[in-house]
Amino acid sequence: MEQFLVYAVGVTLAVFLLYFVGVALAPYDPGSVKNDHFECGLPASSDQPRRANYGFFVYAIMFVVADMTGLFFTLFVFGAEGRTAVLAAAFALLMAVAVALASRELLRRERERGAA
């Protein structure tokens, strides 16, 4: 438990330190162009927004799954108990099932798009 607290405090301090260094070093020069509304770095093209395209939603979910898997596996590294390996294996199996289901959904969508 003590190792986890040291890890958590260290990560928290690093995040705050990087944030405050960024705030201290970043130039502050607001202007009319900086305060204007932009869409992906360009001036707004229309007043009415278009419908969002959810074609990459499954990719976003797979990214979040991979990101969280990495985070939780770093926590398993610091586990000193004997059952930590069993929990890590169960978690890996759960993540493998999640990625397999997402991949199957991607393949199904690709087949539907190819048929259309």
Side-chain angles (χ1 to χ4, degrees):
M1 184 66 176
E2 181 181 324
Q3 289 176 335
F4 173 74
L5 289 177
V6 170
Y7 177 75
V9 169
V11 168
T12 304
L13 288 176
V15 167
F16 280 111
L17 178 68
L18 288 174
Y19 174 76
F20 287 120
V21 166
V23 169
L25 296 178
Y28 182 72
D29 186 23
S32 62
V33 174
K34 256 190 176 176
N35 292 330
D36 197 11
H37 295 282
F38 285 89
E39 294 176 2
C40 297
L42 301 172
S45 59
S46 67
D47 293 333
Q48 183 176 5
R50 292 182 284 170
R51 282 188 69 168
N53 181 7
Y54 293 105
F56 293 105
F57 185 67
V58 176
Y59 290 110
I61 289 176
M62 289 179 72
F63 172 77
V64 169
V65 166
D67 196 34
M68 290 293 106
T69 302
L71 172 71
F72 282 115
F73 274 123
T74 58
L75 296 177
F76 286 131
V77 167
F78 292 106
E81 298 177 15
R83 65 182 183 155
T84 305
V86 174
L87 290 173
F91 183 72
L93 181 65
L94 179 69
M95 291 299 108
V97 169
V99 169
L101 290 175
S103 298
R104 188 176 74 175
E105 178 68 18
L106 282 174
L107 290 174
R108 185 186 65 79
R109 286 187 183 194
E110 287 295 323
R111 277 191 239 117
E112 286 177 358
R113 195 178 326 165

